[in-house]
Structure formats: C-alpha cells, structure tokens
Amino acid sequence: DICLIRSSGTHSSTGGSTLLGYIGIDTIIEQMRKKTMKTGFDFNIMVVGHSGLGKSTLVNTLFKSQVSRRSAGWARDEKIPKTVEIKSVSHVIEEGGVKMKLTLVDTPGFGDQINNDNCWEPISKFINEQYEKFLKEEVNITRKKRIPDTRVHCCLYFISPTGHSLRQLDIEFMKRLSHSVNIIPIIAKADTMTTEERQEFKQRVRKELEMSGIEFYPQKEFDDDMEDKSDNDKIREAMPFAVVGSDKEYQVNGKRVLGRKTAWGVVEVENPNHCEFAQLRDFLIRSHLQDLKEVTHNIHYETYRAKRLNENGGLHPISSSDTQESNL
Amino acid sequence: MTSNIRYKSRIPVKTEDSTEEKQYVGFATLPNQVHRKSVKKGFDFTLMVAGESGMGKSTLVNSLFLTDLYKDRKLLNAEERINQTVEIIKHTVDIEEKGVKLKLTIVDTPGFGDAVNNNQCWKPITDYIDQQFEQYFRDESGLNRKNIQDNRVHCCLYFIPPFGHGLRPVDVEFMKALHEKVNIIPLIAKADCLTPNEIKKLKDRIREEIDKFGIKVYQFPECDSDEDEEFKQLDKELKECTPFAVIGSNTVVEARGQRVRGRLYPWGIVEVENQSHCDFVKLRNMLIRSHMHDLKDVTCDVHYENYRAQCIQEMTSKLAQDNRMESPIPILPLSTPDVDTEKLIKMKDEELKRMQEMLTKMQQQMHDKDQ
C-alpha cells in the first residue's frame, strides 16, 4: 500500500534550541498538496504491440473509462495501416478531487506488416519530437509557467503469449527504445495460458530480456536508495505482468466483476489468482505513476537534452519532411 | 497560543461500498506519491532579513524557527561600525519536524543602514540576489542538471523602525530597489513600544505610502472560491493586518501560569505568541504554515523568470550588435578564486558560451520565422 508520511510526533532542531512549541514546517506538505491538486496532473502513456493483443481494452480497463478511441467492439473492416501511425487521444479523468489529463498514444500498424524492418522508427521519432518540443519551450525567453508536457512517460509493450519466447521484433524494439523511454513489458491475453505455462513463459522472457541487456522500468540503475531498491526488486522479479483486460461485467459469487466469460468459467480480471492485472494496476497507477514521470523528466529527457546541446550547429527545428533521422 | 490554518483533505477514505471500489482506479494517490518523494528529499527555504542594527531581526528569526542561530555573535560598537560596509552573511540550519526536513538558510545583512552616508547601501544586497539568480541560470542552462543547488532568496523580511512616522527615504529606496527581485514582507519592528492606536496609525500610514510610492510588496494570493468561510475570514484578517507589527524574544518567562516566550517589563509581560499583543503569530503562520510554498513559487515563476528574460535579451542584443562570440553574461567578481575554482569557472564559461551561441541561433531562427 502507499506509504504515507509517518508522523513521529517529536521534533528536533539542530541548533541547540531549548525553546518551546511547534514551528509548523510539516504543513508545507499540505501547502504543496493543495497546489498540485489545483494544477492537476498530466500523464502520457503509449501502447505498442501488434494488433489484436488487447491494447485498447487493457488501457480502458486500467483507467476504468473509455479512454481508447476504439470502441469495445472492434470494427472488422478497419484496415491495418500500411505504416506505423501515431495516434494520440486525451481525456481528463477525475478521482478524489485529483484531476488527471490522460493521453493515450496508440501505434497502429506496429508489427503488422510482412516486412517489419524499422517499424520502430516512427515511434522513436515521435518520442524524440516530444522531447524536442519540451526543450524548445524550456529555452524560450518568456517561458510558460507550466510547460505543456507531451513526453511519453510510459510505454506499455505487449508481448504475444506464444508460450515460447520473445520474438525478434520484441527484442529489437525494446533494445532500441529502452534508453529513451520507460518501457514496461507485459504479457497480453494471459488467459491463453495455464498458471504453470505462464510462470515458465515469464521466466524465459525475463532471461531473454536480461541476455539482451534490456533495462525495462523500473531500471536498476535509477533506484534512489535501499528502500526503493527493495521495493523495486520485488516488482522486477514479478515482471513482466501477465494480464487480461475487459470492460464487460459479470456476476460471480454475488459480486459484479470485470471479466471474460467462456464456456468453462469467467476469467476475472481483478482476481490475482486469475491474472496479474491488479498487480500491474497497483504498480503503474497507485505507486509508481509519479516516479514514471520523474524518471522521464530527470533522466530520459536530460539525456536527450545533453545530446542536443553537444551537437554542432545547435538546435534545428524538426520538419515533418525529414525522413533522415539525426544521429539520435 | 497557536492557531492553525486548516486545510481540508480532499482525498476521500476508500469506502467499503463495492460500487465505489469498482470505480476506483487509484490515481487519487498521486499527491501522496509526489509528497513521498519531496519528504524524502526534504525542502529548502532561503529567508533574508534586512533593516538597521538593533531592530530585533536576529531575535525574531530565533523566535520564528525556535533556534539559536546567533549564539556567539559579537555586537560591534559605534566606532567599530564607522568603516563597516554592508555584508552578506548566511546561516544554515537543518530543522526536522514530524518527519519533514527543512534546510533553512538565513541571509543576514549586517551594516545595512548603519553608516552616516547610506547611499546605495542596498547595492550589496541586490548584487547578492542577482548573483544567486545568475548562478541558478548557469546551472539550469548547463549540461549536467542533476544536483542544482537552489540558493535563490525566497523572501525578504524588511524591518521598519517603530519610532518614526511611516516610511523613511531609505526604506522607500530599499524596497523599490528590491521589489522586483524578491518577495518583500515589510514588518514593524519592536512593536512593544507602541500602543494599539499608535500601531494602527502607523500601519495605515505605511500602507498609504507603499501605495503612493508604487512599492510592490508580496501579495497574498487570492482565496479559492471553494474554501470554507472560516478560512476566507482568516485570510481577510491577514491581508488587513499588514504590515505585521512584530515582537521577538529569546527568553522564556512565566505568564498566566504558563511558560511562554516573552519580554518582562515592570508594567507587565509581553507575550510573543499572544495575538492581542502583536502580530507574530500571524507572521509565523503566513510565512511557514500557509505561504511558504507560494513564496518559493513566486520567486521561481516571477522574479527569476524576469531576471532570466532580461539576461537573455541583453545577451542576444549584445551579440547582434557586436557580432562577436563572447560571453556577455556579466561575471560578478568572486572573492578568492583558487586554481581549481578557476578551472571550473573556465569550463563552465566554455559550456555557457556554447549554450549562448546555440540559444542565439535559435532565437534568430525563431525571429526569422516570425517575419
């Protein structure tokens, strides 16, 4: 569960104070909270994976609203695009007085062609374009109070539940992009595997990720302290989460649950015995949402910025006709 | 007697109701996630105190933060002070309360207003503030931004003597020199030598003069329309009470059966934390318990941005004029540069030079695009 601020009740002031009372410094937390509640939060999440892996459904399930532009019933005559497209859609959702502008970046066409060479390039380009946008705002003379943040904070990569191993495309994509964005690999449509099959598959996938040197989020090198490290170690051991998504409800044991109904039973999305959706949700939203943003801002964005500043000739505006990628 | 300004917690308790649980995604915990990080890192705050000697500045700081920052201070006599110039002295203290860490920096300005000829005596102070902005600007524009130290001055308490009839010329000039660089909070010092009527008259007079001379002191932000009535009332009282008339004390006395901070006179006991005696509590609540965060925000979003915009404009216009690739940022003289510092400075200068060139090119491009 979320670790709230622990109140120790006593206070000490290094400076030899013997004098009475309570200064009230801890109220700055409340002041900050008030301020951040007022300004609201932004979160940008990208989903990548070939079509049919349930990406849109999963995001809708995660945020319990129709965030994805796709309706629940997939129109069969929607064509697969010839190249990877990047489609963003934003929604403002509110919960407990907290307003969040959630932007979902979809990547239809990824991995769907016969020849998928370089299909990650439009995605990489998009991610860097957002960094570039932010950088331009930052170096402006009159800066906005809150620079609009379109940078991708999290990229959910959907692994096909083949039960065997990662595909070549999976490794290529994650290898290339794990240094510019937070990648969270997940095993999609986990209801095609039994619990044992799922465990074995996970082990194999984790091993392959390790062997390919892919650092997925939460990256080991960014653990702040021992507390973070131990929390994140537990999560890393359990990743990639095997998930099932659904926006339909069924009655199970007198309760209404989200699930998938089959002839042999109902797969309950939020039941930890059935799949790891709840774990993913808690990890992604309830404990690491802010951290995803911070790693994006403090590390990935800074890396991009440093590279840009070191280049000869300074900053050039990126034009849409640029097919040649700069050495990024 | 302390008074707390209440804030309603807007995060509802998770109910047992299954329908609520069903709709609950969980990002309402976001503020907690943000705060967890901040609590771990700790906060910092830089407070400057300015005013003539003997206004009770040190005592007030000690009273506000329950510390004893000036234990071993030596007070100079008049002769020693003749040739003294305004100095800038920083004291840093780490305070922790209920798990929240604050690194408090007090910037003291001894010598201000003490000379016979006080012309431009605020210059060392404005220079200091600019220096901090410049340092931050360099750091922010540099390549490695991981651990930027924020030494910018978030607030300046200016002590007005209670003996006069309002603002003196030096008060006006000082505040005008600083009001666009730092949040100024004017205070009436040593308020225990005035009767309540006298205080009221003085406050009115000072408020009038602040308006008349166009001095922009720190403005409390407007209340949200959805705050409760009590809060709005408190906020209104606060605004009508400025400038705060304060009293400080380093001693504890016994008053009405309690041990309180106060001053013992033959005719009675002045209690620092008694709201009917002085505005100390209002100042403390405002400074620490309700507006500390806003003071920092205004410093970052307004004062610093003004400085930065000015700086960049000077740079770009100078570069356009001279057409030379020089670093036009005025490098303020450092006190004792040694070899290592010099190397570091040179490195940073080169870094900065590259940055300026890149910046200028960009501005030019954008300027050309606009035309």
Side-chain angles (χ1 to χ4, degrees):
Chain A
D1 219 346
I2 311 299
C3 164
L4 289 178
I5 300 152
R6 272 170 278 138
S7 169
S8 62
T10 58
H11 70 276
S12 65
S13 137
T14 60
S17 155
T18 50
L19 297 150
L20 345 126
Y22 158 71
I23 308 171
I25 293 170
D26 55 329
T27 57
I28 197 172
I29 301 280
E30 192 52 46
Q31 296 174 41
M32 268 186 73
R33 174 197 297 265
K34 205 160 180 257
K35 179 93 193 286
T36 45
M37 298 271 274
K38 242 172 120 183
T39 46
F41 298 86
D42 282 346
F43 193 72
N44 306 324
I45 186 170
M46 176 185 266
V47 288
V48 180
H50 65 74
S51 44
L53 285 179
K55 304 190 290 291
S56 312
T57 312
L58 186 72
V59 176
N60 288 348
T61 318
L62 270 172
F63 292 98
K64 298 223 168 128
S65 30
Q66 289 293 322
V67 181
S68 163
R69 61 194 179 85
R70 297 273 196 89
S71 54
W74 181 57
R76 302 249 150 206
D77 54 333
E78 252 186 64
K79 293 209 188 75
I80 290 178
K82 285 268 156 44
T83 55
V84 178
E85 296 176 348
I86 311 279
K87 298 220 162 126
S88 290
V89 68
S90 299
H91 290 270
V92 175
I93 45 185
E94 179 170 345
E95 186 177 85
V98 177
K99 278 204 190 68
M100 180 158 85
K101 175 160 165 254
L102 177 69
T103 303
L104 174 64
V105 182
D106 204 350
T107 55
F110 178 85
D112 288 335
Q113 314 308 324
I114 295 172
N115 179 0
N116 286 308
D117 269 344
N118 301 321
C119 68
W120 49 81
E121 274 181 10
I123 298 177
S124 180
K125 184 151 171 262
F126 176 80
I127 291 174
N128 287 330
E129 276 170 4
Q130 309 318 305
Y131 290 147
E132 183 72 24
K133 240 191 245 175
F134 196 87
L135 180 61
K136 283 226 172 85
E137 279 294 335
E138 237 195 357
V139 299
N140 223 342
I141 294 184
T142 36
R143 303 195 285 198
K144 299 204 183 87
K145 202 162 175 187
R146 254 184 96 219
I147 300 180
D149 192 358
T150 53
R151 300 171 295 185
V152 177
H153 301 129
C154 166
C155 173
L156 290 181
Y157 187 78
F158 287 66
I159 297 170
S160 191
T162 59
H164 291 184
S165 63
L166 287 177
R167 300 181 319 161
Q168 197 55 32
L169 178 60
D170 300 335
I171 296 185
E172 285 299 311
F173 178 86
M174 286 195 272
K175 233 180 169 166
R176 285 153 193 280
L177 266 82
S178 58
H179 295 291
S180 51
V181 71
N182 294 321
I183 296 191
I184 296 181
I186 56 183
I187 298 173
K189 299 208 162 172
D191 52 343
T192 59
M193 295 187 285
T194 65
T195 312
E196 294 81 27
E197 288 166 350
R198 193 204 315 163
Q199 283 307 107
E200 280 174 23
F201 184 46
K202 269 220 267 195
Q203 300 267 38
R204 266 197 297 272
V205 167
R206 245 208 319 278
K207 205 153 171 219
E208 284 183 307
L209 289 173
E210 208 182 301
M211 286 200 316
S212 308
I214 294 170
E215 277 258 18
F216 53 83
Y217 178 87
Q219 301 91 332
K220 280 202 196 93
E221 47 179 335
F222 306 142
D223 285 337
D224 276 331
D225 53 31
M226 288 314 288
E227 195 189 335
D228 270 355
K229 184 165 154 32
S230 86
D231 286 342
N232 288 344
D233 273 344
K234 289 202 202 89
I235 292 172
R236 284 187 283 259
E237 307 273 291
M239 280 175 79
F241 294 119
V243 298
V244 174
S246 169
D247 44 14
K248 295 206 172 60
E249 283 179 359
Y250 297 98
Q251 193 91 347
V252 174
N253 294 336
K255 281 203 304 180
R256 295 204 55 84
V257 292
L258 284 173
R260 291 172 59 71
K261 187 166 184 175
T262 62
W264 45 91
V266 174
V267 182
E268 295 165 50
V269 166
E270 285 174 307
N271 185 333
N273 292 325
H274 290 197
C275 75
E276 295 171 332
F277 171 82
Q279 260 188 292
L280 172 69
R281 179 202 53 206
D282 288 346
F283 161 58
L284 182 61
I285 300 177
R286 297 184 190 176
S287 60
H288 285 68
L289 198 62
Q290 180 63 19
D291 189 61
L292 280 160
K293 292 180 69 171
E294 291 189 3
V295 172
T296 306
H297 180 67
N298 296 331
I299 297 174
H300 297 303
Y301 170 68
E302 289 296 312
T303 309
Y304 176 84
R305 180 179 173 273
K307 254 193 231 155
R308 283 303 260 136
L309 293 186
N310 270 327
E311 277 172 2
N312 296 328
L315 295 172
H316 296 295
I318 292 181
S319 63
S320 52
S321 58
D322 257 12
T323 46
Q324 173 206 27
E325 279 219 323
S326 54
N327 50 324
L328 288 168
Chain B
M1 184 176 36
T2 56
S3 79
N4 278 318
I5 298 183
R6 279 183 310 141
Y7 287 89
K8 285 217 195 89
S9 168
R10 288 202 180 96
I11 303 207
V13 178
K14 235 162 104 165
T15 58
E16 290 303 311
D17 185 357
S18 61
T19 46
E20 282 252 357
E21 171 65 39
K22 201 172 45 157
Q23 298 310 318
Y24 185 68
V25 174
F27 64 85
T29 59
L30 254 175
N32 282 343
Q33 293 180 39
V34 173
H35 304 150
R36 183 158 173 259
K37 298 238 165 203
S38 309
V39 169
K40 259 202 203 172
K41 258 194 353 189
F43 297 90
D44 59 56
F45 191 70
T46 303
L47 178 69
M48 177 182 266
V49 287
E52 296 169 356
S53 308
M55 285 290 107
K57 303 189 292 293
S58 316
T59 311
L60 186 73
V61 168
N62 284 344
S63 307
L64 276 171
F65 294 99
L66 301 182
T67 62
D68 216 348
L69 282 174
Y70 301 91
K71 252 190 307 209
D72 304 314
R73 190 171 61 147
K74 206 172 60 99
L75 292 172
L76 303 173
N77 62 31
E79 261 191 50
E80 287 172 314
R81 283 199 254 143
I82 283 182
N83 291 321
Q84 200 194 30
T85 49
V86 179
E87 284 178 81
I88 307 281
I89 297 186
K90 282 188 355 180
H91 299 267
T92 308
V93 64
D94 287 315
I95 307 179
E96 181 170 343
E97 204 172 49
K98 295 206 180 137
V100 179
K101 296 197 239 338
L102 176 72
K103 174 162 164 265
L104 175 71
T105 304
I106 306 285
V107 180
D108 212 346
T109 55
F112 175 83
D114 284 345
V116 173
N117 180 358
N118 285 310
N119 228 357
Q120 302 285 320
C121 64
W122 48 85
K123 191 142 184 333
I125 299 177
T126 52
D127 282 348
Y128 176 82
I129 295 178
D130 280 342
Q131 234 174 334
Q132 307 317 306
F133 281 155
E134 198 213 311
Q135 162 101 47
Y136 193 83
F137 181 40
R138 280 185 191 226
D139 286 346
E140 203 194 28
S141 310
L143 283 178
N144 187 346
R145 309 200 290 184
K146 260 205 165 153
N147 293 317
I148 299 184
Q149 272 245 9
D150 187 2
N151 293 321
R152 298 174 291 184
V153 180
H154 299 125
C155 174
C156 176
L157 296 180
Y158 185 66
F159 289 68
I160 299 169
F163 314 121
H165 294 283
L167 295 178
R168 305 162 300 164
V170 69
D171 299 330
V172 174
E173 289 307 305
F174 175 86
M175 288 199 274
K176 285 189 84 169
L178 262 79
H179 64 173
E180 284 176 346
K181 292 186 195 287
V182 71
N183 296 316
I184 297 185
I185 297 180
L187 304 173
I188 298 174
K190 295 200 163 176
D192 53 344
C193 69
L194 298 171
T195 65
N197 258 339
E198 289 166 348
I199 289 186
K200 184 167 180 314
K201 270 208 223 128
L202 186 57
K203 282 191 188 182
D204 287 340
R205 182 77 189 264
I206 292 179
R207 270 206 296 270
E208 245 177 65
E209 291 178 338
I210 285 179
D211 260 339
K212 186 168 93 169
F213 292 108
I215 299 173
K216 301 188 217 151
V217 296
Y218 172 70
Q219 298 296 330
F220 305 134
E222 286 307 316
C223 250
D224 289 330
S225 53
D226 59 346
E227 293 288 355
D228 57 22
E229 278 311 308
E230 186 190 332
F231 184 76
K232 282 196 195 159
Q233 181 62 23
L234 279 175
D235 190 66
K236 189 154 163 278
E237 281 174 26
L238 208 69
K239 289 188 179 145
E240 288 173 354
C241 207
T242 57
F244 296 129
V246 293
I247 301 168
S249 170
N250 277 333
T251 53
V252 176
V253 296
E254 180 103 17
R256 296 176 287 127
Q258 283 182 327
R259 297 187 72 225
V260 293
R261 273 192 183 245
R263 294 172 59 72
L264 178 60
Y265 288 108
W267 48 88
I269 299 176
V270 179
E271 296 161 50
V272 166
E273 292 185 11
N274 186 332
Q275 294 222 49
S276 51
H277 288 192
C278 72
D279 298 328
F280 173 83
V281 172
K282 289 208 176 70
L283 172 68
R284 181 192 55 199
N285 286 348
M286 182 232 95
L287 186 61
I288 302 175
R289 298 186 195 174
S290 54
H291 290 75
M292 186 178 259
H293 196 67
D294 187 64
L295 284 163
K296 292 177 74 170
D297 276 351
V298 174
T299 307
C300 295
D301 296 338
V302 179
H303 300 301
Y304 171 71
E305 288 296 315
N306 283 342
Y307 173 85
R308 180 180 173 274
Q310 238 180 0
C311 222
I312 297 183
Q313 280 183 336
E314 281 173 17
M315 267 164 36
T316 45
S317 66
K318 220 179 172 209
L319 271 178
Q321 271 179 11
D322 301 346
N323 218 15
R324 275 179 290 146
M325 298 302 192
E326 256 182 30
S327 167
I329 282 194
I331 298 170
L332 295 167
L334 298 167
S335 43
T336 47
D338 57 6
V339 179
D340 280 330
T341 328
E342 294 231 293
K343 258 198 234 154
L344 195 68
I345 294 173
K346 193 155 183 267
M347 207 171 70
K348 288 242 164 190
D349 270 345
E350 276 159 24
E351 209 174 85
L352 199 65
K353 230 180 273 190
R354 269 176 293 153
M355 274 281 338
Q356 310 332 356
E357 289 166 34
M358 178 265 305
L359 247 170
T360 327
K361 280 211 182 92
M362 245 208 58
Q363 304 302 353
Q364 279 295 75
Q365 276 168 357
M366 296 211 279
H367 184 70
D368 293 340
K369 245 171 62 170
D370 283 340
Q371 295 199 321

